[in-house]
Amino acid sequence: MTTKDDIQLNRGLQGVYFDRTETTFIDGKEGILEYRGYSIHELAKHSNFEETSYLLLYGALPTQAQLKEFEAELKASRNLPEQVLDVIEIVKDSHPMDVLRTAVSTLASFDPDRSDNSPEGTFRKGVRLTSQFATIVMAHHRIRRGKDPIAPSDSLSHAANFLYMLEGKVPTPETAELMDRDFVIHADHGSNASAFTARVVASTNADLHGAVTAGIAALSGPSHGGAAENVMQMAQEIGEPENAAQYVKNLLAAKERVMGFGHRVYKAEDPRARHLREGVRKLSEEKGEPKWYAILEAVVEEMKPYARRGIHVNVDFFAGVVYHLNGIPQDLFVPIFAVGRVPGWTIQVVEQYRHNILIRPLLVYTGTHDRPYVPIAERG
Ligand code: CMC
């Protein structure tokens, strides 16, 4: 019999490799992130969300014709079935992540490839979901304020259309570009909690909608996707840059965590963070609210000693302020992360199907044995 002493226990699956991937490479020690062999820095600078999604899904950068076709496919999926809008109306008072989860689960019933778990069918569903996520988030935000959803525009990019659906205003090219970059850097990230969850679901041969619905639930917690919301709350509590140092000191003295810092994998700076830093600086000046950038930088300054322990800013640190300055309320921050992550979840589900093995780890039992069953009438 295997004894507890023979077992190598890896709580939180820390440091455990459970499969292979050809999609995303991460070197946490060096702070390297690549999609399909392309550095995130190259993609953040030169690519856009549509092209990066294609790259993630199909493994190569598209030709012009392929990109055109892919963009048309995405645009054709921007509208939601009426029934899904009705469901959103029913659950509109829940947190937007819960609404997103419910709406995505409902969408399964209306998808023409519902019962098709082939890679082709899953790609088609993934492309539709990529567009539908954006519409759900903004439609819900309108509906909960008693307004009609803004119909998606098919003359705009994914990122510009997303912002457009907030109030019906076409964003400036700079603002759309920053949103686009945010989606690019969030598009995939190895075996994080939500992608792992999606893979676990897919490993039972359940469908993409099921896997992605579970992924949304995993992403909703503050240790994963929720940090951008908490960073913004922190910045608001700090209020002015000169309060930042004391605020951080108090937090750390109370053994609490500074949101937007630390990462399970990155022990160097999260390579995604820098692509929003400059954008936050420019945007906060452009909007006449430079204090947000100054507050974040003051927090970074105060956290400098923690770099020695491998605690640096992560992707969520600057993201919250970008959204805030675009007039997006805090409870939509995690859903925005989800909007960017659909291509990553999709390709990971396809990878799981392609070389499937049921994901079924083990638990070390630490309870008691051989307890005699006492009938209910005899229990004290
Ligand atoms: N502020 C202060 N101390 C921290 C922080 C932080 N943000 N993060 C980790 N530590 C400390 C922690 O207190 C612990 O110290 P000690 O060894 O003295 O007990 C040590 O670092 C290791 O922490 P851990 O929780 O064992 O490390 P982990 O790898 O499980 O944590 C994390 C990863 C993301 C859950 C954690 O860093 C955290 O809670 N950060 C704040 C939330 C956040 O920003 N989350 C977004 C993650 S990035 C988005 C994504 O990719 O999903």
Side-chain angles (χ1 to χ4, degrees), residues 58-351:
Y58 306 114
L61 288 170
T63 61
Q64 272 180 8
Q66 285 167 332
L67 183 60
K68 221 170 142 198
E69 196 184 319
F70 185 67
E71 284 170 347
E73 215 187 314
L74 279 167
K75 284 178 177 169
S77 310
R78 284 181 179 170
N79 286 299
L80 299 175
E82 272 306 313
Q83 295 93 326
V84 174
L85 289 168
D86 292 344
V87 169
I88 294 175
E89 170 70 43
I90 294 167
V91 297
K92 65 174 187 241
D93 294 330
S94 303
H95 189 283
M97 278 303 269
D98 299 344
V99 174
L100 181 63
R101 196 189 59 227
T102 303
V104 168
S105 184
T106 310
L107 272 172
S109 310
F110 302 97
D111 197 289
D113 289 304
R114 183 170 40 180
S115 53
D116 184 351
N117 284 358
S118 66
E120 296 73 26
T122 305
F123 281 135
R124 284 194 296 274
K125 288 188 273 195
V127 171
R128 279 194 282 276
L129 282 171
T130 300
S131 289
Q132 290 162 334
F133 263 57
T135 313
I136 293 167
V137 173
M138 286 311 186
H140 166 235
H141 184 53
R142 304 271 312 168
I143 290 170
R144 69 176 169 169
R145 290 178 298 152
K147 298 182 174 182
D148 287 332
I150 308 255
S153 158
D154 60 12
S155 63
L156 297 174
S157 70
H158 184 80
N161 175 59
F162 179 68
L163 292 170
Y164 169 74
M165 290 188 292
L166 182 66
E167 297 296 353
K169 285 191 213 125
V170 176
T172 64
E174 295 75 28
T175 305
E177 200 185 300
L178 191 54
M179 192 71 240
D180 182 74
R181 208 176 308 145
D182 180 85
F183 287 145
V184 167
I185 62 177
H186 279 95
D188 191 43
H189 205 237
S191 139
N192 54 80
S194 58
F196 182 69
T197 303
R199 277 181 179 263
V200 171
V201 175
S203 83
T204 70
N205 283 316
D207 71 355
L208 181 70
H209 283 81
V212 164
T213 303
I216 296 169
L219 182 66
S220 65
S223 298
H224 189 359
E229 194 175 331
N230 297 333
V231 172
M232 194 60 222
Q233 260 161 24
M234 174 175 76
Q236 282 167 332
E237 279 165 28
I238 291 173
E240 295 300 332
E242 54 273 23
N243 303 336
Q246 194 54 48
Y247 182 95
V248 171
K249 279 193 185 91
N250 294 347
L251 214 57
L252 296 172
K255 299 248 169 279
E256 287 189 36
R257 284 164 189 229
V258 180
M259 289 292 135
F261 274 81
H263 199 276
R264 172 65 64 85
V265 179
Y266 293 120
K267 300 305 164 196
E269 185 176 296
D270 180 338
R272 302 167 294 178
R274 74 166 85 153
H275 295 288
L276 297 183
R277 177 184 256 133
E278 186 52 20
V280 169
R281 191 187 66 72
K282 281 198 192 135
L283 193 64
S284 55
E285 261 167 33
E286 207 180 287
K287 302 270 180 185
E289 298 184 53
K291 76 168 185 178
W292 298 118
Y293 179 71
I295 288 173
L296 295 187
E297 284 301 317
V299 172
V300 171
E301 189 57 36
E302 193 56 31
M303 286 296 284
K304 266 191 178 150
Y306 276 68
R308 260 182 281 122
R309 294 177 51 192
I311 301 171
H312 302 263
V313 280
N314 60 49
V315 67
D316 283 336
F317 188 70
F318 293 103
V321 171
V322 172
Y323 310 149
H324 172 79
L325 289 169
N326 280 318
I328 299 173
Q330 276 172 33
D331 63 359
L332 295 193
F333 292 4
V334 200
I336 294 177
F337 188 151
V339 170
R341 188 49 64 85
V342 189
W345 286 331
T346 304
I347 185 57
Q348 294 214 36
V349 164
V350 171
E351 279 194 340

